[in-house]
Amino acid sequence: MTGSLTVVGLGPGEPQWLTPAAADALRAATDLVGYGPYLDRAPQTPGQQRHASDNRVEVERARHALALAAEGRRVAVVSGGDPGVFAMAAAVFEALEGGDPAWHRLDIRVEPGITAMLAAASRLGAPLGGDFCAISLSDNLKPWEVIETRLSAALKADFVVALYNPISKARPWQLGRALDIARTIHTPQTPVVFARAVGRPDERIAVADLAQADAGQADMATLVMIGASTTRRVGPYLYTPRSYGIAP
Ligand code: SAH
């Protein structure tokens, strides 16, 4: 097999946040595969074919990309942020697992990108300076009970929790429920971050106390972060110290 497939992370939005390695992988591709709006963010390369698809059909899109690579094409599958974080890289390996065994001989690579959580953190200061975890609030691919169990455990363990996919038209109540759970575990003053469209022209960053945090502040392009008990403000910044439970 001479074809190749690279899953490329585009970063959160700002062109300067696309790594040089990711830009090289995009330029080298004969075919770009991805969700339309992400394809629009990839720089134009003459002669390259673009295969736009709907957002909901990740595994189908991954299968199509693998089939193109098996025909000998150099395929780049584009993904927002980092492709390994709730995104296309896992969909590609899922398609590989369920697909033609010959595909195992393809040259498959993953080109990392800046994930939303890290971009958001950089705008605030250092809220991820201690231990943290990331949870997708989307219950499209896992039962809501699993999400609640993981969220409660993470909050009780006092991780800073980054919430991806906090809300959408089809999932309107999940973030409100997640904030209610947090209110039973953390103090009312715990900082909650709403970082929307980080690195894009319509970026908006807000920090609220948990008591006032309103799920209505979030949309599909928002990364929500719930602080740990040590997460605090210093001047206009927000940070979580590296040390925990050790007297200064
Ligand atoms: N692979 C992506 C995440 C895909 S899940 C990454 O690594 O960032 C989609 C979710 O990511 C969105 O619902 C939102 O919570 C978050 N997200 C993606 N881009 C974002 C951005 N520019 N600003 C804030 N949140 C973003």
Side-chain angles (χ1 to χ4, degrees), residues 44-114:
Q44 294 283 345
T45 301
Q48 200 169 56
Q49 268 193 282
R50 291 179 174 230
H51 310 262
S53 60
D54 203 85
N55 200 18
R56 289 294 209 109
V57 294
E58 285 104 347
V59 175
E60 206 178 291
R61 184 194 304 155
R63 245 182 255 121
H64 178 218
L66 284 160
L68 283 171
E71 289 167 16
R73 318 280 302 171
R74 261 193 324 278
V75 182
V77 176
V78 300
S79 203
D82 181 89
V85 178
F86 308 125
M88 280 309 294
V92 164
F93 293 110
E94 198 180 321
L96 186 70
E97 193 172 48
D100 184 345
W103 289 351
H104 295 190
R105 300 202 306 276
L106 286 168
D107 178 11
I108 300 175
R109 293 170 198 229
V110 178
E111 203 51 75
I114 298 176

Side-chain angles (χ1 to χ4, degrees), residues 2-29:
T2 54
S4 67
L5 187 158
T6 306
V7 199
V8 180
L10 299 176
E14 202 169 288
Q16 281 176 307
W17 277 350
L18 179 75
T19 71
D24 283 349
L26 294 175
R27 245 190 320 270

Side-chain angles (χ1 to χ4, degrees), residues 12 85-86 115-122 124 127-128 133-137 160-167 175 192-198 200 204-206 217-226:
V85 178
F86 308 125
T115 188
M117 166 177 80
L118 301 184
S122 75
L124 291 149
L128 303 178
C133 73
I135 297 177
S136 168
L137 277 196
V160 172
V161 181
L163 299 174
Y164 284 76
N165 295 309
I167 204 162
L175 178 61
V192 178
V193 172
F194 295 88
R196 180 176 185 283
V198 184
R200 302 186 206 144
R204 198 176 63 230
I205 313 273
Q217 286 178 266
D219 65 6
M220 272 175 70
T222 306
L223 187 285
V224 177
M225 227 184 267
I226 304 175

Side-chain angles (χ1 to χ4, degrees), residues 86 133-156 161-167 171 173-179 181-182 185 226:
F86 308 125
C133 73
I135 297 177
S136 168
L137 277 196
S138 168
D139 54 359
N140 291 337
L141 298 171
K142 60 191 171 189
W144 176 252
E145 298 74 60
V146 170
I147 299 174
E148 279 203 6
T149 305
R150 291 182 178 176
L151 179 65
S152 303
L155 292 166
K156 284 181 189 146
V161 181
L163 299 174
Y164 284 76
N165 295 309
I167 204 162
R171 296 180 294 100
W173 55 265
Q174 283 81 346
L175 178 61
R177 176 84 191 109
L179 293 171
I181 292 171
I185 297 168
I226 304 175

